[in-house]
């Protein structure tokens, strides 16, 4: 993770206190891992469905990651999904079956909600956000608060795991040449389905050419991400998209084969150059990595490029039907989920959308502050 | 394998004697396996590069197939690639590094050559053949003989393993609606690369988004297969094709994601119907199988449909950019290689292009017959 | 499957009607598949937990096998676990969480129960049965009926999937040389855990060195299988066993590495010979296959030997500590589960333990017969 | 890698210059990677067979590791196997087909040779070395030099990849309780066979129960490693060992199942404690990690413990036949090969067996020093 800035913001003496909703799931675990030693954020609450509630986090979680459970997190008591958590904002890694109303409850109660769930992604007043792509969509937050009667709370979301890396690659092409239409076929890793997720009997030595709802998301979300906020609503990008989604026996990393038609004529060299420079709004460096080897990117070998936050592009070549073909890879759990949410929270912090005003219930000396909607 | 007819042709009392060039390789082994108990063909010769020459076949081969080496084949002595084999025709499963001149030598010496190698596929006077698709291309054989000064010999070829199943699916659509253009992304099995082929370190838990020369073949071969012979040359089909090829950790079965644009408007129901009936020139039944389940076809589960000779289609649906999307699967070693060559030989036999006139060297009583070019 | 006899028993004009309890699970599906076209048995009932009850079998089941659902089975209505099924006997492929009392209910109601579940395997009056190994243990059935007050009903079981192939190999060695002790380390396929079973995130490119309860079963069950029935109880074989169990990313086939100490000195040649001849009580031929290649047996290549009912042995060699080392493989779903149960039912039929006296509810003309305990 | 010390030795102003023989192979690449930024060693030469000789290293190598080729190494010119390299000592990662005489040539020419190859491991005057286990075996070096007429040169070796982790675990048990005999069954990763190594068609969804020569090595090498040097020869440890070796579809990490008989009675708690403390001769901390989870260690999850230099032990439990059972895992390329050689070189440096006296050919100002045999 490349946080926007590397230490506490000037003038502040404590970190933002973060909660994680859905902390026992695959994405929740990654968030807990990424929040350990974060320069701006401190994990103070973990929450989950009722089954886990009340247990110590280390007892409630079936931890899947290579590194051990961060010690500070291990001893937290898992709370339920009531919006009474002791933190300045929450990440939501909730399952879509419960995320919808739960996230609204938290926003209504004054919490900024940084969600990885699909439920509100396409809502007309909720930013679907990739900091390097459409930070300007934060302008929708005041309208969202007004529409919904939220005070200090609000909801922002990040895209689906297969969309995140895709749009990171499309954005510099859209800026440099304009985009007309695009075919994309995915080869997606099993970790994208969570845990227990894909049964081994379904995927060992096999491919499953179907992921429920995925093609629909990939054909819709980029339109919003690459579109613009006109002051009252999101205007779609008008890009034609056709997606085919497949599951392959790979642990981490979604690989995508693209054919793209551009509005402006461009040489392959210009395309590679546009991808490489990728001067994007925020300070994260090199979100797109371009490889020259003819047989890359590959999931197992390239998935961790840029600490899992880069989109890796290779095989840029001419398309007999459209203009260019290329292959891209991005880490579905980092750039595609937990890392995406964390980057969104960093953007919110740097733009002043997070506040330290909530008082720790365990800190009786703290001065209460009345929440006022911005 | 569903041979065109199930017993010896009327009026004949012995089978055609077949040789296999490249008999120790992956495709050669399958041919040896498929020829055991074949109703029309009898394996009498196995030939390979010099390294194996002179050994017993069972000693020379590193046999990979599940069933044991057919006993009749096990005891054959492996010959070199001289065109002095005791057989009526030869299959060629030679590596492309040697297939070019070797196949020409055999054709010049009077042997019909049924080749799986890529070397002569795109030659202007060599049929690239799928019996159910373009049996009429056999009309090029007399021209080939004349052009090249061959007597009774000639060369026919079958397409690349990823093209074979594809064209089997495209043909009924071309007949019913006309084809304009098509995107295809493949997820290809490791057995397509032969043995030892893909190192396990390259593919375990991984995808390799590149197969040397494969995209070029997939963009060229269907043009010839779906085109026509105008009496002196092959006329291409004029179909726009864009291909992306990937290797996945699957043993057998190439999966392909297609988006197709048709010349005539068609409903999804009409498309499925056209694929299902698929009334094709030869008598092989149901070369295309259409599945309704939303998550099929899958390599491990569907690769053996029609004894590995069917193309299995699923997920027929609308394409936001072109007209229809679908997923297809075919067995790369059967429909895509050894089975394809065998079917071509069956077609040749049934159309009178094979003769029993060569005399077995081991049969001194046989009456010599002078070979005459047709 | 090699049924003991290949057609209806003389003097009978209809098959035994079989029910399958737990018909929607992995083992249940295999039983349904194996019962299609069985010469002696006809599937007339499928039963499962309440969730599936009342649905058509083809709707209730998430079918995993390569071949389609047998048409006769597809239209059966799934019943609950009440012992009122219209059949002559039942197979039980129930989960161990419910198998215990359910199987007793059926036995008490007069049904012979041929169980694959672990619950009654080690009960002192229930035969744990492999026909080729200990058919004589059927003598326990009258005692079981008497002990438990069953009428015509009774329970027989087959061993755990990793024990079945093991004991098939141990038996001829025990007969020829006597067995003292044995080390066994397993490499077990994922299908042994049922469906959904092992999550792909746990096993792709990985090994899990633990299978709950498996080592205990492997150290206990062979004692009973290789022991004897003394007229009132089972006497253990007194064989020392130490087992280590591992899960590996293989679809089907449990591989086991053995070191064995024999009571009588034997050469490797004598050991191989004893395994090969394996003249066993029942008529199933060649239950043990011995390979000579230095790198076999292998799961993917050898799992289907003997239609999945053989134990395949290779690498018979000297052990520096005990007497011999060898590697064995057997199909966990066939010889280790569904096929084992079916073979047990065939043994019961051939020994007169099954009767055709239950009347089909749908056959009003049939003459009722009062069940009498033997 | 945890080098014994973290900076240049006091009193020295430059690093030891290292060469790598066999630098383009799998183990050679790891050595090149591990030598980048090493505090004591600097890579100045890469050598390989004739085919690569003369090329730039980055052109000659088919680089397999995740991190890019270290820039300093990329530009080195690959030399042949003549003992005229510009370095203070050499690592040998040569294939065993050429390692024997080549390593002797280098030793005779005055180079300390730190070998990963099997050729000299069991030679009576060559230390087979694991620093934490038998550093005292370095005492054999003067005898080796004398026997063979070497000057400043000599050969030390590290054990086979499956032996290295095993002996690391056996050593503290031998010290605390004494060892009588042991069964070991391995599940070995494909990277142990180098590149291209195991063909994917042999191992996808499969297990190969045979690795040529591996069982012999595992039954012999621990005897020497756990034995002692009596001043003139190595005395074997007298431990009974029986090994079964298997290849599994895992990328990195050899898993081993052990049953061990101890000379002194010990509780499981004492065994775990002995493994945990493992106070060993050199300063590398915690070479053995003991896990409590019932299903660990696992290759994919635990292979990188201790930067790939630890042996990870789990499932310590009673053995019904011997005394204890346990499962261990170690990284075959790090602790089992490249890391083992590097640790051996660090031991040699810290004990004064390496010298900086060879003059860089490219450094004309350097004062020549005459080599004298110790």
């Amino acid at each position: 993770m490349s946080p926007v800035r590397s230490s506490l913001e000037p003038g502040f003496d404590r970190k933002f206190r973060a909660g994680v909703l859905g902390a026992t799931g695959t994405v929740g675990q990654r968030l807990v891992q990424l929040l350990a030693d974060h320069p701006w954020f401190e994990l103070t609450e973990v929450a989950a469905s009722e089954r886990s509630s009340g247990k110590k986090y280390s007892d409630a979680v079936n931890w899947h990651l290579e590194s051990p459970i961060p010690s500070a997190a291990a001893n937290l008591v898992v709370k339920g999904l009531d919006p009474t958590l002791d933190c300045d904002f929450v990440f939501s890694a909730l399952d879509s079956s419960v995320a919808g109303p739960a996230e609204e409850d938290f926003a209504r109660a004054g919490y900024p909600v940084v969600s990885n769930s699909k439920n509100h992604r396409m809502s007309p007043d909720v930013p679907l956000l990739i900091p390097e792509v459409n930070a300007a969509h934060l302008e929708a937050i005041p309208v969202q608060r007004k529409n919904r009667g939220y005070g200090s709370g609000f909801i922002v979301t990040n895209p689906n795991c297969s969309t995140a890396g895709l749009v990171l690659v499309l954005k510099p092409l859209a800026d440099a040449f304009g985009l007309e239409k695009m075919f994309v076929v995915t080869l997606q890793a099993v970790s994208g389905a969570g845990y227990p997720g894909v049964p081994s009997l379904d995927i060992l030595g096999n491919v499953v050419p179907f992921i429920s709802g995925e093609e629909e998301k990939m054909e819709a979300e980029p339109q919003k991400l690459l579109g613009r906020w006109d002051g009252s609503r999101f205007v779609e990008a008008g890009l034609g998209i056709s997606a085919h989604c497949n599951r392959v026996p790979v642990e981490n990393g979604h690989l995508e084969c693209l054919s793209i038609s551009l509005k402006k004529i461009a040489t392959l060299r210009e395309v590679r150059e546009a991808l490489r420079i990728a001067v994007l709004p925020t300070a994260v460096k090199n979100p797109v990595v371009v490889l020259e080897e003819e047989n890359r990117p590959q999931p197992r070998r390239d998935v961790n490029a840029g600490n899992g936050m880069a989109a890796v592009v290779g095989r840029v070549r001419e398309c007999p039907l459209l203009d260019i073909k290329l292959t891209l890879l991005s880490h579905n759990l980092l750039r595609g989920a937990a890392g995406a949410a964390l980057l969104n929270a960093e953007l919110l912090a740097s733009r002043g959308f997070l506040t330290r005003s909530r008082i720790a219930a365990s800190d009786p000396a703290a001065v209460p502050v009345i929440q006022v909607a911005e």
Side-chain angles (χ1 to χ4, degrees), chain A residues 320-336:
Chain A
L321 293 185
L322 301 183
D323 297 309
I324 56 166
K325 287 179 188 174
L326 58 83
T327 300
L328 75 87
L329 173 76
S330 72
H331 197 304
N332 53 299
L333 294 182
L334 293 172
R335 171 55 77 172

Side-chain angles (χ1 to χ4, degrees), chain A residues 128-151:
Chain A
L128 176 61
L129 205 62
I130 299 177
E132 299 93 331
V133 169
N134 64 342
H137 287 199
L138 289 176
E139 291 167 24
I141 292 178
V143 176
Q144 181 192 137
R145 283 168 164 163
K146 194 168 161 193
N147 285 351
R148 300 173 175 227
Y150 293 166

Side-chain angles (χ1 to χ4, degrees), chain A residues 34 79 102 175 187 193 206 240 249 298 315 329 369:
Chain A
L34 293 173
K79 304 283 177 64
D175 288 352
L187 294 85
N206 202 18
Q298 296 177 12
R315 305 206 69 219
L329 173 76
V369 173

Side-chain angles (χ1 to χ4, degrees), chain A residues 187 248 250 252-255 297-304 329:
Chain A
L187 294 85
V248 293
V250 161
N252 292 317
H254 289 354
L255 194 80
Q298 296 177 12
R300 213 184 55 213
R301 292 184 167 122
D302 300 309
V303 69
N304 290 318
L329 173 76

Side-chain angles (χ1 to χ4, degrees), chain A residues 143-204:
Chain A
V143 176
Q144 181 192 137
R145 283 168 164 163
K146 194 168 161 193
N147 285 351
R148 300 173 175 227
Y150 293 166
S152 61
F154 60 87
I155 301 173
V156 300
T157 63
N158 57 259
N160 180 39
C161 54
S162 53
T163 302
L166 172 65
V167 172
L168 216 50
V169 171
L170 292 180
K171 174 64 173 171
L173 298 180
D175 288 352
F177 315 110
L179 298 176
E180 231 165 43
K181 54 189 176 184
M182 179 199 59
F183 283 88
V184 57
V185 177
T186 67
L187 294 85
Q188 300 185 220
V190 295
S191 63
Y195 185 88
V198 185
S200 52
L201 274 174
D202 283 345
I203 201 70
L204 273 177

